[in-house]
Every structure is written in C-alpha cells, then in structure tokens.
Amino acid sequence: MKDGDIVGLMQRASLVFKAKASKALDKAEDPRETLDYSYERQMELLQQVRRGVADVATSKKRLELQQTQLEKSVQKLEGQARDALAAGREDLARTALERKKAAQLQLQGLDEQHTQLQAEQDKLIQAEQRLTAKVEAFRTQKETIKAQYTAAEAQAKIGEAVSGISEEMGDVGMSMQRAQDKVATMQARAGAIDDLLDSGALQDISSPGQDSIDRELAQISSSSQVDSELAALKKELGTGADAPAPSGEAPAAAGDAPAGGAA
Amino acid sequence: MIVVRVLDEGQYELPAAIHDELVARDARLLEALDADDRAAYDRELSEVLDLVHAKGAELALDVIKPSEFVLPNPELSLAGVRALLADHPA
C-alpha cells in the first residue's frame, strides 16, 4: 500500500511503528545484526517493565498505609467529638468533626487513586506477560532465521519479526510511561497528605503536639472515666448507690455517668 | 487475515472481508481527530473497538507480526493521539 492511500488514523499509527523498525533495519549492514540488537533492547525493556510493576506496587502500598492511617483518624475523631460533646465542650467537638470531614475527603481521593493504580498495575502485568511471551518467541525465531540465512528470503522474515516486536515494544513502552506518570502524580499527592498528617490537621485532636487541646481532652476523658468508675463502685455497693442521694452532689455525678457511657 | 493492534491490549486477527469497512471507519476516525471533535472521535473509536472485539480473535502470543491497523487506547487524549501520529512518515 502506498502512503498516499493512507487516509486513516489507525493505518497511520501502524506506519509510525513500522517506520521506527525500518530505521533500525536500515542502520545494520547485516540484517542479522538487527536481530541481536533488537533482542538486547527487548531484554532491557522487560527489565524496565518489571521494575515498573514493582514501582506501582510500592506506590499502592504507600497509599494503603495512608488509607489505614486516615481511617484510624476518622474513627478516633468521631469518638473524641462524642466525648467532647458529652462533656459539654461543643467547641472541641466541632474541631474534631471538622478534622474528621477533612480526613474523609482525603480518603475519598485516595480511594480513586487506588482504583486507578490498581488498573495500571493490572495492565502493566498483562503487558509484561505479553512481552515476555513475544520475546521468547522472538529468541527462537531469531536463531531459526540465522541458521537458514539466505539473503533475500531471510530478509523478509527479519523485517517482519523486527517490525512486529518493535510495535510490541512501542506499545508496552507507552503503557509503562503512563503508569509512571500516574505513580508520579500519586506520589506528589501522597507527599501532600503526609505533610497534612504531620501538621496535625488530619490527626485526632489528642495527638502529641496539640498541647492545649490534648490536655483538655485528656481531662475530659479521665474525668468521664472517673465518673463511670464511681458509678460502677456505687453499683457494686448495691442499694447503697441510692442512699447518698439526699447529700446533693452524688445524684448529679450518677446521672452524668450513664449519659457519657452511652454516647 | 488482517492484524489489528489495540494499544494497551494486544493484537487481533480479523477476517479479510472487513478490510474495507475498517478503512472507511478509519477515515472517519481521522476526520473526527482533525475536527478536534472528541465526542465524534469517542463514538467512532468505540464502534471500531466493538467491531474488533466482536469479529477478531486474539493473535497467538508466539506469533510476531506487525499490525496493519493500530487503535489508540480509549483513554488517550486527542493531543496524545496527535503525538502518537507525529512521527508519521510524510
């Protein structure tokens, strides 16, 4: 087919791959050299693709760690908001809920990224398997062609093999490039989330570094523990629990404790 | 037999009888790209993909052959497709 007949996109794309392969073929004095050269390149590409698969897996792992961290934060912050509210500290409860919301938003973003990375990983693994099979087939063919090498006939075979494998390599190379781009984007984002986590903006509000809030929350938490232990002790003493009622102080404490415990 | 590659997916063998149909669809695909019409491009591409999947058989992994038609993967942007074709021999 003459180039002038090419009117379509898919045929042009096919020609682009063929042109790249024929450049390599033209360079070699002996076409058989092209076979060996191409094979070396294939092995290099396979190594790169395998590293690429490992990189995607590492990035996914990092993302999963962040997800776990954020999920813990969300749970803790939710509990803290309840504790704070039970203790009448609406301001603290609000802070906790705001952080919980921020952490949840980041989590949603991570979920999407995780799905994307998983898809890239699956594709790259498939590409690696395809390329492995093609390279193995090429190796066998290469030796056969070399053994029966008689100028013109072998040249056509070499052309087809080199052109075919070069197209495969081009395809795999693009998949790999895209996966690498996604990993880079993801890492930038993961870095930003790490910064947010370090700054405490997504951490539970009793995390170290949150001095005043930390102290206040610790107080709330310990006083509610004292209240519930007090209530438990009173219960243990049986009917005695109701006895001190007239003294005034006790009913208030006894009344608070179950509310705090139920929250 | 016609060998077709779907980038990111692999190669397929299609019956020679649909060669003309592929050529016609291929021309429409290029028109959509030239017109920078993403909707038309997506529609044409997904129809060609459906055709390849419906009529094609996966090329055996131990067969090494260049493809007569190469389909971009559907996620590729129009700019990405142009970059892919940029090396087209004039």
Side-chain angles (χ1 to χ4, degrees):
Chain A
M1 192 177 292
K2 286 205 304 277
D3 202 28
D5 299 331
I6 303 298
V7 289
L9 185 160
M10 301 185 287
Q11 285 183 319
R12 284 194 188 189
S14 143
L15 281 181
V16 168
F17 286 114
K18 288 195 181 97
K20 281 180 185 159
S22 71
K23 255 187 217 163
L25 283 163
D26 290 347
K27 259 188 226 160
E29 268 182 38
D30 182 343
R32 284 176 296 183
E33 286 171 16
T34 325
L35 291 175
D36 291 326
Y37 176 69
S38 173
Y39 185 67
E40 278 171 34
R41 297 283 315 282
Q42 292 160 36
M43 297 308 285
E44 283 167 21
L45 181 61
L46 257 183
Q47 289 298 319
Q48 286 172 20
V49 174
R50 284 172 186 154
R51 270 201 301 274
V53 171
D55 285 349
V56 176
T58 308
S59 296
K60 236 179 60 190
K61 198 90 209 159
R62 180 178 180 190
L63 209 139
E64 282 158 9
L65 282 174
Q66 284 191 330
Q67 280 177 318
T68 312
Q69 227 174 326
L70 285 171
E71 274 158 12
K72 267 191 206 154
S73 276
V74 167
Q75 266 184 353
K76 266 199 172 175
L77 284 163
E78 161 118 31
Q80 289 178 332
R82 282 174 195 274
D83 288 349
L85 206 58
R89 290 294 309 270
E90 200 175 321
D91 56 332
L92 277 182
R94 182 173 294 277
T95 305
L97 289 178
E98 278 164 2
R99 285 192 193 171
K100 184 187 138 189
K101 189 80 213 156
Q104 277 174 327
L105 277 175
Q106 295 294 344
L107 260 177
Q108 277 173 16
L110 286 185
D111 280 345
E112 279 166 33
Q113 287 219 308
H114 191 268
T115 310
Q116 280 184 18
L117 271 189
Q118 184 65 57
E120 289 307 322
Q121 189 182 32
D122 291 346
K123 277 186 182 170
L124 214 50
I125 287 172
Q126 277 169 17
E128 192 238 280
Q129 286 167 350
R130 268 202 326 266
L131 187 62
T132 303
K134 295 276 177 189
V135 168
E136 181 50 29
F138 185 91
R139 193 184 60 79
T140 315
Q141 239 172 295
K142 172 169 85 86
E143 296 314 317
T144 313
I145 295 172
K146 274 171 146 185
Q148 52 173 225
Y149 180 63
T150 54
E153 193 215 13
Q155 195 138 359
K157 282 187 189 166
I158 292 172
E160 181 162 275
V162 170
S163 181
I165 200 81
S166 146
E167 186 185 300
E168 189 71 44
M169 289 164 76
D171 188 355
V172 171
M174 281 189 282
S175 304
M176 204 173 59
Q177 184 61 53
R178 213 204 24 241
Q180 281 170 345
D181 290 349
K182 290 246 166 84
V183 165
T185 309
M186 193 238 97
Q187 277 174 343
R189 195 189 165 115
I193 292 177
D194 275 343
D195 288 348
L196 275 173
L197 283 167
D198 288 346
S199 77
L202 304 174
Q203 301 275 34
D204 65 274
I205 52 183
S206 62
S207 298
Q210 302 293 319
D211 302 334
S212 65
I213 296 177
D214 185 21
R215 267 199 305 276
E216 287 186 75
L217 223 93
Q219 272 166 14
I220 289 172
S221 153
S222 70
S223 75
S224 88
Q225 271 169 20
V226 168
D227 283 347
S228 51
E229 270 191 53
L230 204 60
L233 271 179
K234 283 177 184 168
K235 220 175 187 178
E236 226 178 86
L237 293 174
T239 50
D242 290 333
S247 76
E249 296 266 325
D256 278 353
Chain B
M1 281 297 192
I2 314 163
V3 179
V4 175
R5 174 180 295 274
V6 180
L7 289 177
D8 229 16
E9 211 180 284
Q11 287 172 295
Y12 297 86
E13 266 185 323
L14 283 94
I18 65 162
H19 188 269
D20 289 351
E21 184 182 352
L22 275 175
V23 171
R25 288 183 176 279
D26 199 13
R28 292 209 292 275
L29 204 50
L30 187 61
E31 271 171 37
L33 179 73
D34 286 344
D36 207 23
D37 186 344
R38 177 86 218 195
Y41 173 87
D42 283 343
R43 196 174 53 242
E44 294 293 343
L45 184 62
S46 90
E47 282 178 15
V48 180
L49 269 173
D50 288 348
L51 180 72
V52 169
H53 289 148
K55 299 270 171 79
E58 278 183 44
L59 188 71
L61 282 179
D62 59 351
V63 176
I64 302 171
K65 267 188 193 171
S67 316
E68 194 177 332
F69 297 87
V70 174
L71 277 85
N73 86 50
E75 291 146 46
L76 203 58
S77 66
L78 293 190
V81 180
R82 284 193 197 98
L84 176 71
L85 299 179
D87 296 330
H88 178 250

